[in-house]
Every structure is written in structure tokens, then in C-alpha cells.
């Protein structure tokens, strides 16, 4: 039996890397995309997958990547991130621009490019890893929360637009997950990033990957629309890693 193919963006670390391992264990052939090709190729060798460089903020990079994907059954839109934690009055437009490019337009580009192949597969599935920040807000997070709200709206609109097509649409909505997300947000300041997780047992990348693997291995008539997951100790998005 031919393996189903899953494409994962942002696959070189964190949730993307963990998802690659989980879906490999579930029997998928993996096509992995990320900017850090050295890390990606090492992971691809471990899971018997294929690695291609991918920058979702670059239309040419997305086009070149998709040309190398002959067929696709599952797309996991995982590439994303945050920069800075400035209040609106101090907003850095370059930070905002990057967050909208990677979280919103990156998801748009990948989904638009692969939807024909997902539908042609006869049993496609689009999974977008958004955030509790796409459903709530918090001080200092307006750039990220606005981008995640837009990404969530884009993703949920697909559910209506493709009702009746052979493609499922699932939004994964994590709260606080301990990965390198905060270190990247704070420009490599690991000490500041570590404070984000003090006093709480956060979710792990593997926790989120397990849920993604569960969603994409349900019977084809079962659509898990939205899955919100948080640490037991987290109530809302004000203390959230993927906020």
C-alpha cells in the first residue's frame, strides 16, 4: 500500500520536528520544509522523509518547494512565530510585518498552492497550528495576536469554502508550549525566555504533535474542526507561550 504524504512547514525544530516524528510513526511519508536545511536534512534521514528548503515568507521559495511535492494528503501549516513584546504605542512595524508574513501570508501561500493536490488525493487534510492568541489578546502582544486572529480566520473560512470537497480542515490551538518560540521572540535572550515558563508545567512539542497525529488519523468522514489545548495550570492566553 502506498504511503500517504504529509507536508510539514517549520519542521526543523519544536512542534514541526515533533510532528514529523509522530506522523512518521503513524505511517506517513514526510516532505519537510524549513529555512534551516542542515537540521531538516538530519531529521529527514531519521524519519525516512524528504527535506527541501522553504521560507514561507518568500513566494518564490514556496513555489519551488511545491513543485517538488508530487502529491499531498496532509498539509501541516506549522511555520510561524512572534517578534517582540511591545505595547501598541511602541509598536515596531518591522516586527508586525514579519509576523503577518510568516503567520498569515505563509499559511495562505502554502494552503493555496497545495489545495489542488490535497483535493485531488480524494482524502486531503489541512491542519493549521494557530494559537490561543488567535482567540484572545494580551498586553504587549497586539502584533502577534492580530496575526494569529487573521490566520485563524483564514483557516476557519476554508471549512466553509470547501464544504463538500474531499478535504478536512483542522485548527490546532495551543496555549503555552515550551520550545524555542520565546527565545526567538526575544532575539535569542534565553534568560528572558526562561522566565515565561517559570512556575508552570508547559505543554511540550510532543504533546501538540500527538494531537495532530490523532486528528489526521481519524476516519475520513470525521473532521475535528478546532482543538484547543493548554497546560492544566493555564486558564487563558495572558500567560501563554503560543499565547
Amino acid at each position: 500500500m502506498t504511503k500517504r504524504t504529509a507536508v510539514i512547514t517549520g519542521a526543523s525544530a519544536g512542534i514541526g520536528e515533533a510532528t514529523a516524528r509522530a506522523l512518521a510513526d503513524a505511517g506517513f511519508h514526510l516532505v519537510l520544509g524549513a529555512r534551516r536545511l542542515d537540521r531538516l536534512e538530519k531529521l529527514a534521514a531519521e524519519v525516512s522523509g524528504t527535506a527541501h528548503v522553504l521560507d514561507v515568507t518568500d513566494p518564490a521559495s514556496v513555489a519551488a518547494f511545491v513543485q517538488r511535492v508530487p502529491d499531498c494528503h496532509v498539509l501541516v501549516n506549522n511555520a510561524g512565530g512572534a517578534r517582540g513584546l511591545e505595547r501598541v504605542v511602541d509598536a515596531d512595524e518591522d516586527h508586525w510585518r514579519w509576523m503577518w508574513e510568516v503567520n498569515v501570508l505563509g499559511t495562505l501561500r502554502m494552503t493555496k498552492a497545495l489545495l489542488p493536490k490535497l483535493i485531488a488525493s480524494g482524502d486531503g487534510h489541512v491542519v493549521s497550528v494557530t494559537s490561543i492568541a488567535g482567540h484572545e489578546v494580551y498586553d504587549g502582544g497586539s502584533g502577534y495576536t492580530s496575526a494569529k486572529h487573521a490566520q485563524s480566520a483564514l483557516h476557519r473560512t476554508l471549512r466553509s469554502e470547501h464544504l463538500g470537497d474531499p478535504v478536512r480542515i483542522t485548527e490546532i490551538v495551543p496555549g503555552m508550549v515550551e520550545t524555542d518560540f520565546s527565545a526567538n521572540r526575544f532575539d535569542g535572550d534565553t534568560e528572558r525566555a526562561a522566565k515565561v515558563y517559570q512556575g508552570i508545567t508547559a505543554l511540550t512539542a510532543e504533546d501538540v504533535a500527538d494531537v495532530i497525529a490523532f486528528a489526521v488519523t481519524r476516519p475520513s468522514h470525521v473532521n475535528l474542526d478546532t482543538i484547543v489545548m493548554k497546560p492544566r495550570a493555564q486558564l487563558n492566553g495572558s500567560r501563554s507561550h503560543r499565547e
Side-chain angles (χ1 to χ4, degrees):
M1 182 177 178
T2 304
K3 285 188 174 183
R4 287 161 55 81
T5 298
V7 172
I8 304 173
T9 69
S12 62
I15 293 172
E17 178 182 357
T19 300
R21 298 184 190 283
L23 295 193
D25 289 343
F28 285 87
H29 168 66
L30 303 177
V31 180
L32 309 176
R35 290 173 297 173
R36 295 178 288 188
L37 189 58
D38 54 341
R39 297 185 60 162
L40 202 62
E41 288 177 333
K42 181 180 178 182
L43 174 62
E46 292 176 13
V47 299
S48 300
T50 305
H52 300 304
V53 67
L54 172 65
D55 181 353
V56 299
T57 69
D58 180 355
S61 177
V62 170
F65 177 90
V66 170
Q67 284 183 349
R68 304 176 79 175
V69 181
D71 56 78
C72 183
H73 300 83
V74 174
L75 166 62
V76 181
N77 285 310
N78 172 70
R83 286 187 179 171
L85 199 61
E86 302 90 6
R87 291 159 57 92
V88 171
V89 70
D90 299 313
D92 184 320
E93 288 192 15
D94 287 337
H95 285 170
W96 275 63
R97 191 171 291 108
W98 181 84
M99 286 186 281
W100 277 72
E101 278 284 348
V102 70
N103 293 291
V104 185
L105 293 176
T107 295
L108 170 64
R109 291 181 183 115
M110 291 301 301
T111 304
K112 179 180 177 181
L114 285 173
L115 261 173
K117 294 179 181 181
L118 287 160
I119 293 172
S121 76
D123 187 16
H125 201 153
V126 179
V127 177
S128 292
V129 182
T130 63
S131 166
I132 199 65
H135 298 259
E136 301 178 10
V137 298
Y138 59 93
D139 292 352
S142 58
Y144 184 62
T145 59
S146 63
K148 284 297 182 182
H149 272 72
Q151 182 193 23
S152 178
L154 181 165
H155 177 89
R156 286 181 281 121
T157 301
L158 284 173
R159 182 78 169 94
S160 175
E161 290 180 345
H162 290 279
L163 194 64
D165 288 338
V167 60
R168 291 181 285 169
I169 311 292
T170 298
E171 180 183 7
I172 306 294
V173 187
M176 183 181 289
V177 186
E178 188 166 1
T179 64
D180 60 0
F181 175 94
S182 288
N184 291 334
R185 177 176 218 167
F186 301 133
D187 199 24
D189 188 338
T190 55
E191 183 176 345
R192 186 180 180 189
K195 292 179 180 179
V196 173
Y197 311 107
Q198 285 182 350
I200 189 170
T201 301
L203 299 175
T204 66
E206 288 73 22
D207 293 330
V208 181
D210 285 346
V211 171
I212 293 171
F214 176 81
V216 302
T217 54
R218 296 311 86 205
S220 62
H221 70 285
V222 177
N223 194 96
L224 300 176
D225 287 21
T226 305
I227 304 175
V228 180
M229 55 186 302
K230 304 175 187 176
R232 184 180 63 194
Q234 183 183 10
L235 178 62
N236 56 37
S238 62
R239 290 192 61 200
S240 168
H241 163 52
R242 268 195 175 263
E243 284 126 10

